[in-house]
Every structure is written in structure tokens, then in C-alpha cells.
């Protein structure tokens, strides 16, 4: 029973990582409601779980169906074509396979004293799986940091350090657990370690979304402040233009008045000069 629960949690974690991987490069479908997005994610989790439950011995078929499910569901979740969805699904699956292989080889050659994953209560193998999934999650965060285009992803390194801290801490903790608890005395101890490792994996997701919500709120407030300053600057600019226009208009009016008075003055002088000439000739 605990094995099925463990598998379900890992599958949910993997589906969320798949969604986050797509989110690095794609834009969510704005036409979908939140309930529809949740339904799509549940569909992806069910596909992953059924493939793992019934096709565990047929690896190639299992991987093909998993990729196909991700392609179809994520093409609805995000505003992308099927071709792009195929590319991203293959990239994510490739990343997962590479990280799984590196984690397994590293455990066999560096950590595991027996040179292979122990079968007693399948604890060591399960810890290696969690280690692999957390490493994939960390890789996705690094991809978000370097390739993310959203305002919440173009953040200073100090903010990104908050996102990176807990996955790195979890990886170190899992490695310590693998090295320390390779042999468990009983099933109760194994279940306790299962619970701790699963709790750390779940906490990574909760902490990520918690920090992401906080950063998103801060980013929105910052954008509102910037828009407010831009609006204020535009008002000041329009006011300055209006004042300059009024000043220029006044200057032009005064200049015209002077020209008018000057013209009147010249006409008056010419008239006076004419009268003097006439008077002299008489």
C-alpha cells in the first residue's frame, strides 16, 4: 500500500516538473479557466500512473505513451503547436532519463557500498529516485533563471537563491540518508525514512509555489509603481508642454502687439512729417 502511495507522489511530482519545464519556454493558454488547467494536470497524472502501473515491464512502449500524453495535454495547457509540444516533451524526457542515469551510476560507484542498489525494503532505490526527481526540479529552476522571459523570472540572484536553497538542501539530505541508512532494521524504520524523503519532495513544490506567489505579488506591485510613476511623469510632461505653449503664445502675442504698435508709431511719424512738409511749402 505504501509503495503505491510513494509511486503516486513521485508521479505527481514528475507531472508538475513537466508542466514547469514547458512553462520555461511557453505561455499558458489564457482562454483556459483554472478548473480546466487542474483537470488537464489530473489527466496527465492519471496517464503517468496508468503507464507505470500496467507497462512497467515494457519500457519503450511506456516511454512512448508517456511522451504522447505530455504532447497532447500540454498542447492544450499552453499556447503551442503539436510540433513544438513534441520537441519540449522529448527534451523533458531526455533530461529526466539523463538525470536518472547519472543518479543511478553515481549511487553505484560512489555511495552504495555493495556496488548496487539494495533490495531490502527497496529503500535505497526509492531514495535514489527522489534524489533524481529533485535534481530534475533543480535543473528546471536553473533553466527558468537563464531562459525565463517572465517578469517573475528575470529576478536578481538574491531572489533566485531563495528558490534554489530548498532543492539543494533536499539533495544533500537525501545523499546523507542514502549513505547512512543503506540497511534498515525493520519495515517501520524504512517507512519513516520514506515519509521524510517524500515530505521533503512535497515541501519543495509547496515552497516553490509559495515563494513564486510572493515574488509574483511583489512584481505586480512593482509594475503598478512603475506605471504610476510613468503616468505621473506623463502628466508632468503634458503640463510642462502646456505651460511652455502658453508662454510661447504670450510671447508671440506680446511680439505682435509690439509690432502693431511700432507700425502705428511709424505711420504716425510719417503722417506728422507729411503735415510738416505741407505746412512748410505753404
Amino acid at each position: 500500500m505504501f509503495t503505491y502511495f510513494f509511486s503516486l507522489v513521485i508521479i505527481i511530482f514528475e507531472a508538475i516538473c513537466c508542466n514547469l519545464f514547458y512553462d520555461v519556454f511557453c505561455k499558458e493558454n489564457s482562454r483556459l479557466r483554472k478548473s480546466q488547467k487542474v483537470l488537464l494536470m489530473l489527466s496527465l497524472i492519471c496517464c503517468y500512473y496508468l503507464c507505470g502501473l500496467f507497462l512497467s515491464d515494457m519500457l519503450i512502449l511506456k516511454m512512448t505513451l508517456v511522451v504522447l500524453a505530455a504532447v497532447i495535454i500540454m498542447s492544450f495547457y499552453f499556447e503551442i503547436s503539436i510540433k513544438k509540444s513534441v520537441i519540449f516533451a522529448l527534451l523533458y524526457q531526455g533530461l529526466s532519463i539523463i538525470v536518472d542515469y547519472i543518479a543511478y551510476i553515481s549511487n553505484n560507484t560512489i555511495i552504495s557500498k555493495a556496488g548496487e542498489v539494495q533490495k531490502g525494503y527497496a529503500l535505497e532505490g526509492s531514495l535514489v529516485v527522489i534524489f533524481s526527481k529533485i535534481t530534475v526540479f533543480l535543473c528546471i529552476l536553473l533553466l527558468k533563471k537563464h531562459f525565463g522571459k517572465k517578469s517573475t523570472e528575470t529576478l536578481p540572484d538574491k531572489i533566485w537563491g531563495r528558490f534554489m536553497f530548498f532543492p539543494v538542501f533536499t539533495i544533500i539530505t537525501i545523499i546523507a540518508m542514502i549513505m547512512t541508512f543503506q540497511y534498515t532494521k525493520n519495515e517501520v524504520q524504512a517507512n519513516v525514512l520514506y515519509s521524510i524523503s517524500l515530505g521533503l519532495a512535497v515541501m519543495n513544490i509547496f515552497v516553490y509555489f509559495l515563494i513564486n506567489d510572493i515574488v509574483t505579488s511583489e512584481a505586480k506591485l512593482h509594475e503598478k509603481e512603475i506605471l504610476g510613476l510613468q503616468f505621473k511623469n506623463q502628466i508632468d510632461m503634458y503640463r510642462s508642454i502646456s505651460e511652455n505653449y502658453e508662454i510661447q503664445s504670450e510671447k508671440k502675442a506680446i511680439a505682435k502687439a509690439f509690432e502693431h504698435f511700432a507700425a502705428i508709431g511709424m505711420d504716425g511719424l510719417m503722417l506728422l512729417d507729411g503735415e510738416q512738409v505741407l505746412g512748410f511749402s505753404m
Side-chain angles (χ1 to χ4, degrees), residues 103-235:
Y104 184 80
I105 295 298
S106 300
N107 179 72
N108 284 349
T109 56
I110 300 173
I111 300 176
S112 182
K113 296 177 182 178
E116 61 179 4
V117 176
Q118 302 296 327
K119 295 182 179 180
Y121 302 115
L123 175 63
E124 188 177 351
S126 300
L127 292 178
V128 172
V129 170
I130 295 176
F131 168 78
S132 172
K133 301 308 175 187
I134 297 296
T135 305
V136 170
F137 178 67
L138 181 60
C139 291
I140 293 172
L141 291 183
L142 291 173
L143 288 174
K144 276 183 170 289
K145 181 179 185 298
H146 291 288
F147 298 104
K149 302 299 181 183
K150 297 178 181 178
S151 60
T152 55
E153 293 168 356
T154 56
L155 299 170
D157 292 338
K158 183 179 179 180
I159 302 297
W160 273 107
R162 302 177 188 176
F163 288 98
M164 303 295 181
F165 172 77
F166 206 74
V168 172
F169 171 77
T170 303
I171 289 172
I172 294 172
T173 304
I174 296 297
I175 292 173
M177 290 172 65
I178 294 173
M179 295 178 67
T180 307
F181 300 102
Q182 288 186 355
Y183 305 99
T184 52
K185 296 180 181 180
N186 51 59
E187 191 172 357
V188 174
Q189 187 182 29
N191 289 338
V192 170
L193 295 174
Y194 274 135
S195 302
I196 294 173
S197 59
L198 283 177
L200 289 172
V202 173
M203 283 298 295
N204 272 274
I205 297 298
F206 277 112
V207 169
Y208 168 78
F209 284 110
L210 177 63
I211 296 176
N212 186 65
D213 289 341
I214 294 172
V215 172
T216 302
S217 300
E218 291 178 355
K220 288 181 179 179
L221 289 173
H222 185 61
E223 288 177 0
K224 287 182 179 179
E225 289 177 358
I226 292 175
L227 289 174
L229 289 173
Q230 289 177 347
F231 182 71
K232 183 180 178 182
N233 291 334
Q234 286 180 350
I235 291 176

Side-chain angles (χ1 to χ4, degrees), residues 243-256:
E243 290 176 353
N244 289 334
Y245 179 78
E246 290 177 358
I247 292 172
Q248 293 296 329
S249 298
E250 290 176 359
K251 287 182 178 179
K252 288 181 180 179
I254 292 171
K256 286 183 179 179

Side-chain angles (χ1 to χ4, degrees), residues 73-129:
I73 293 172
M74 291 296 111
S75 64
F76 286 105
Y77 195 97
F78 295 93
E79 294 180 350
I80 54 173
S81 62
I82 292 293
K83 291 182 180 179
K84 289 185 178 180
S85 187
V86 169
I87 294 172
F88 292 133
L90 291 174
L91 286 174
Y92 172 72
Q93 205 61 42
L95 174 64
S96 298
I97 292 172
I98 291 171
V99 173
D100 287 344
Y101 181 77
I102 293 173
Y104 184 80
I105 295 298
S106 300
N107 179 72
N108 284 349
T109 56
I110 300 173
I111 300 176
S112 182
K113 296 177 182 178
E116 61 179 4
V117 176
Q118 302 296 327
K119 295 182 179 180
Y121 302 115
L123 175 63
E124 188 177 351
S126 300
L127 292 178
V128 172
V129 170

Side-chain angles (χ1 to χ4, degrees), residues 261-275:
F261 290 138
I264 292 174
M266 290 297 294
D267 292 340
L269 288 174
M270 291 176 64
L271 181 61
L272 289 173
D273 290 341
E275 289 177 351

Side-chain angles (χ1 to χ4, degrees), residues 8 17 40 53 58 63 67 72 123 152 217 237 242 253 268 274 278:
L8 180 60
C17 286
L40 287 172
L53 187 63
M58 295 177 280
M63 299 300 295
V67 170
I72 296 173
L123 175 63
T152 55
S217 300
M237 182 181 67
S242 178
L278 288 172

